Amino acid sequence: MTYRAHRASWRNVMEEQDNREEDQAEGDDLESLGWFHENLSRHAAEALLLTNGQDGSYLLRNSDSKADVYSLSVRAKDSVKHFQVYQCDESIKFGFNEFLSVKDFIQHFANQPLIGSESGTLILLKHPYPRTVEEPSIYESVRVHTAMQTGRSENDLVPVAPSLGTKEGYLTKQGGRVKNWKTRWFILTRNELKYYKDQLSQEPIKTLDLTECSAVQFDYSQERVNCFCLVFPLRTYYLCAKTGAEADEWIRIIRWKMSQIKRQSTRR
């Protein structure tokens, strides 16, 4: 039941991707695909998929070791697997399969999204990782996607692409029941804001789901300066940064995340 649901979702994504690629591609080659990342190394692909992707995210890139060979990099849980793809003069070879066109290659993934790894486990291809995505261009300390790509626009955003902006740092947080202030290490990734006891802690104290957040703004009700608040249905969280610029940076990227969440919800 779960597999069929994933497969149906995959087909919808691939139909949109296929239509977009038919309109944009100038030739019948793999580099015309919207999820082809030119000059992306194996290490960079792994970092990109593990940091911003999700289980089933994949992309195509040039092979590091062989000329005229491509690599399909796929995230499978907490690791990334790589598969070789060959484009000959008249066909594309992938595993034991041979395809006469890029369209046939894409349709194969739509109909048979499962591929086998060296360990014998099956990997489900679900989310093509776009070459170009919409990103927040706020501050240098906000890490996003990859600095290798240019020409990003909203039209290039694949609907299933996650919100990519990430940020981390210390903030002072007001307690819920006891209104004291404690410094915590915060990590913002995808649509989650997690806070930890300190930077070395492995498990978060709490994870805030930004899909449930209704507002984020500067707050001047506290005696402390550089404060802002996040409004949730059951609680408003009060946080303080070291500087006003730092607080503004947190507010801007969280607001960008919330705009992405709203945009994705209207597409469903």
Side-chain angles (χ1 to χ4, degrees):
M1 186 69 114
T2 303
Y3 170 74
R4 290 181 179 177
H6 284 166
R7 187 168 179 174
S9 174
W10 165 264
R11 282 179 173 172
N12 291 336
V13 171
M14 290 310 298
E15 285 177 2
E16 295 178 6
Q17 179 86 1
D18 195 19
N19 291 335
R20 181 161 50 249
E21 285 163 358
E22 285 183 353
D23 293 337
Q24 295 179 351
E26 295 180 356
D28 189 23
D29 59 80
L30 292 171
E31 296 183 10
S32 65
L33 294 172
W35 36 279
F36 172 71
H37 294 243
E38 186 178 9
N39 299 325
L40 191 68
S41 68
R42 177 189 179 105
H43 177 75
E46 292 174 352
L48 184 63
L49 292 173
L50 289 174
T51 301
N52 294 322
Q54 51 192 311
D55 191 20
S57 294
Y58 66 93
L59 58 84
L60 188 70
R61 59 183 178 82
N62 289 316
S63 174
D64 289 350
S65 57
K66 298 181 180 180
D68 301 324
V69 177
Y70 300 92
S71 288
L72 182 72
S73 300
V74 188
R75 174 171 172 173
K77 295 185 178 179
D78 296 325
S79 65
V80 175
K81 307 297 183 183
H82 306 274
F83 305 89
Q84 290 187 339
V85 180
Y86 302 85
Q87 181 160 27
C88 306
D89 292 336
E90 298 181 354
S91 65
I92 298 170
K93 295 181 179 180
F94 177 66
F96 297 105
N97 301 291
E98 187 169 358
F99 310 96
L100 298 179
S101 67
V102 171
K103 185 176 182 180
D104 292 340
F105 180 63
I106 295 173
Q107 287 180 345
H108 172 75
F109 284 171
N111 295 322
Q112 299 182 33
L114 285 169
I115 57 177
S117 65
E118 295 177 353
S119 61
T121 58
L122 294 175
I123 301 174
L124 179 63
L125 301 176
K126 293 189 291 185
H127 308 299
Y129 197 99
R131 176 173 60 250
T132 52
V133 295
E134 183 183 12
E135 300 168 357
S137 54
I138 305 172
Y139 296 91
E140 291 181 359
S141 59
V142 180
R143 302 194 307 274
V144 291
H145 192 50
T146 171
M148 302 176 186
Q149 309 300 338
T150 58
R152 297 183 292 267
S153 69
E154 182 179 349
N155 294 331
D156 295 321
L157 180 64
V158 173
V160 297
S163 295
L164 301 177
T166 63
K167 180 173 172 57
E168 57 188 41
Y170 279 108
L171 293 170
T172 304
K173 185 186 75 68
Q174 186 185 65
R177 295 181 180 179
V178 181
K179 303 301 180 181
N180 57 347
W181 295 84
K182 293 184 179 180
T183 300
R184 297 292 185 232
W185 180 256
F186 282 77
I187 296 179
L188 175 65
T189 180
R190 299 198 185 98
N191 295 329
E192 294 180 339
L193 179 62
K194 300 180 181 181
Y195 61 87
Y196 301 74
K197 183 178 180 180
D198 53 47
Q199 189 174 358
L200 300 179
S201 299
Q202 299 296 316
E203 296 296 327
I205 297 174
K206 192 175 184 63
T207 299
L208 304 180
D209 184 357
L210 294 181
T211 62
E212 299 177 357
C213 182
S214 59
V216 56
Q217 60 193 24
F218 273 104
D219 181 83
Y220 302 100
S221 66
Q222 308 299 320
E223 295 181 358
R224 293 170 176 258
V225 296
N226 308 323
C227 286
F228 61 98
C229 64
L230 283 78
V231 181
F232 287 83
L234 300 179
R235 178 182 169 184
T236 297
Y237 290 83
Y238 295 93
L239 308 172
C240 291
K242 290 184 179 180
T243 66
E246 181 73 8
D248 184 63
E249 183 176 321
W250 280 101
I251 291 172
R252 283 172 179 257
I253 192 170
I254 292 174
R255 282 180 176 171
W256 178 83
K257 293 273 191 179
M258 294 172 63
S259 71
Q260 297 299 300
I261 293 170
K262 184 177 180 180
R263 184 172 295 136
Q264 289 178 8
S265 65
T266 59
R267 287 172 173 164
R268 296 172 183 172

